[in-house]
Amino acid sequence: MIRNRRRRITYLFGCTAAALTLLTTAACSGNTSKVDEGSDADSGSGSKTVKLAYVAGWDEGVSATFLWKQILEDKGYKVDVRDLDIASTYAGIANKQADIYLDAWLPVTHETYWKKLGPKMEKLGTWYEPADLNLTVPKYVKDVNTIDDLKGKAGEFGGKIVGIEAGSGLMRLTRSPVLPDYGLKSEYELTESSTSAMLSALQKSINNKKPIVVTLWRPHWAYTKMQLKVLKDPKKAYGKPDKVQMVASKGYSKANPEVAGWLKNFHLTSSQLGSLELLLQKKGTGNEQAAAKEWIADNKQLVDSWLK
């Protein structure tokens, strides 16, 4: 994932104690950034300032965010991008201290947030589907093709499934129901780390041709860059695939029909998103918007189709 993108913006969301209790226990990235108390909270009717929230490390969302930052600035908007943890993101959108989040995984992965805060938000549309959570191994691991196949092979993988941020939806679902449903809870340790640490461990294992099993999701650039195999989930423990959706503060589309209309037209295929993510990876930290600008120039006809 795209890591350590920029200095965290610290700002405080006004949440109730109950909301904070829920948000700290639900699926989140582990980032602790908050929203500035002094930021301009109200979008206003037809505002020419757009506040986009994103979670650093979740590449599809980072890529979409900087893509739209460049598109909107080209259209004369001032765009404020805010790097938050997932809990603060949903709270901020609900409380109108941020306008739009482009990486909402619904209805499954971010279900807890949506159930609590959805009445204060609206969906602007789906820009990618299907989006699935999974366990993944390198393709050279020949004897494991389903999650069932992990049973009895813990020694081969060092007794570990390499995870990501402890509070993420992916980790929540892997802990339960995935591991219990497949009888793996006592055999494997689900390690908590970060997305970047997981990807580093995956690349190191591939370099050394060692077996490894990791928590991962699609869309992700790793499937383009590395030779990987998603383990089939015959018990459907991860549930049906999600849709990657855009959510905004309630009433945003009515107050800002131009931006909302453009976003409703926004769609990417797996190959289009993969090329965008890899370009951001190639350009490196701090150059996300430059990468987005280059991608827009190379895909002008597609981008123009969203702006009708």
Side-chain angles (χ1 to χ4, degrees):
M1 290 237 168
I2 302 171
R3 302 178 291 279
N4 300 321
R5 298 205 161 268
R6 57 191 63 240
R7 186 176 60 189
R8 297 285 194 259
I9 301 171
T10 305
Y11 57 113
L12 177 65
F13 281 133
C15 300
T16 65
L20 285 172
T21 299
L22 169 76
L23 293 172
T24 54
T25 56
C28 64
S29 71
N31 184 348
T32 57
S33 300
K34 297 180 181 179
V35 179
D36 262 344
E37 201 168 296
S39 64
D40 53 335
D42 297 327
S43 299
S45 178
S47 173
K48 293 297 284 187
T49 297
V50 183
K51 297 183 285 291
L52 302 177
Y54 74 100
V55 179
W58 297 0
D59 290 70
E60 72 288 339
V62 175
S63 298
T65 299
F66 282 93
L67 174 64
W68 276 97
K69 183 178 190 297
Q70 183 62 46
I71 291 171
L72 291 171
E73 287 181 348
D74 287 345
K75 287 292 185 177
Y77 285 82
K78 177 183 177 182
V79 182
D80 177 13
V81 294
R82 301 177 172 188
D83 170 9
L84 306 171
D85 63 80
I86 188 63
S88 296
T89 292
Y90 274 93
I93 299 295
N95 292 325
K96 297 189 176 182
Q97 290 174 305
D99 297 322
I100 300 167
Y101 178 49
L102 294 162
D103 198 24
W105 282 51
L106 296 168
V108 178
T109 306
H110 295 167
E111 176 185 19
T112 306
Y113 295 112
W114 190 256
K115 280 186 175 180
K116 180 66 178 182
L117 299 171
K120 295 183 178 181
M121 304 167 73
E122 63 176 272
K123 296 177 180 178
L124 298 181
T126 296
W127 64 270
Y128 185 93
E129 62 177 317
D132 64 284
L133 306 177
N134 58 70
L135 295 180
T136 287
V137 299
K139 278 190 176 179
Y140 55 73
V141 180
K142 300 297 184 184
D143 58 342
V144 176
N145 298 294
T146 72
I147 300 177
D148 260 329
D149 292 337
L150 291 171
K151 188 72 175 172
K153 295 186 175 71
E156 187 175 336
F157 296 95
K160 294 180 180 180
I161 295 173
V162 181
I164 58 169
E165 291 81 4
S168 67
L170 174 54
M171 291 290 279
R172 173 175 56 85
L173 290 168
T174 303
R175 289 188 204 100
S176 181
V178 174
L179 294 185
D181 281 4
Y182 284 97
L184 302 174
K185 193 172 182 180
S186 61
E187 192 175 349
Y188 288 84
E189 175 192 1
L190 177 61
T191 64
E192 299 172 355
S193 59
S194 66
T195 298
S196 60
M198 177 275 293
L199 290 168
S200 178
L202 178 59
Q203 186 63 70
K204 183 177 179 180
S205 293
I206 289 174
N207 291 344
N208 295 308
K209 291 287 184 180
K210 298 288 186 181
I212 186 173
V213 56
V214 302
T215 59
L216 200 48
W217 63 92
R218 294 179 295 188
H220 196 286
W221 58 263
Y223 293 102
T224 302
K225 186 176 180 180
M226 306 177 193
Q227 293 294 307
L228 301 174
K229 175 170 55 177
V230 172
L231 298 185
K232 294 178 182 178
D233 178 14
K235 299 181 188 293
K236 306 297 181 186
Y238 276 116
K240 293 181 179 179
D242 273 319
K243 297 179 180 180
V244 184
Q245 299 184 304
M246 299 162 284
V247 296
S249 303
K250 195 170 186 67
Y252 183 84
S253 60
K254 184 177 180 180
N256 302 275
E258 183 175 60
V259 174
W262 291 338
L263 288 171
K264 288 181 189 298
N265 295 330
F266 174 45
H267 299 282
L268 286 177
T269 65
S270 180
S271 61
Q272 289 164 347
L273 177 57
S275 68
L276 175 60
E277 288 184 335
L278 286 174
L279 186 55
L280 264 69
Q281 284 284 310
K282 180 181 177 181
K283 294 291 185 181
T285 302
N287 297 306
E288 297 86 1
Q289 195 165 357
K293 188 172 184 177
E294 181 177 325
W295 191 90
I296 289 167
D298 291 340
N299 295 271
K300 187 176 185 304
Q301 186 175 356
L302 174 63
V303 174
D304 286 346
S305 73
W306 303 333
L307 304 177
K308 294 178 179 178

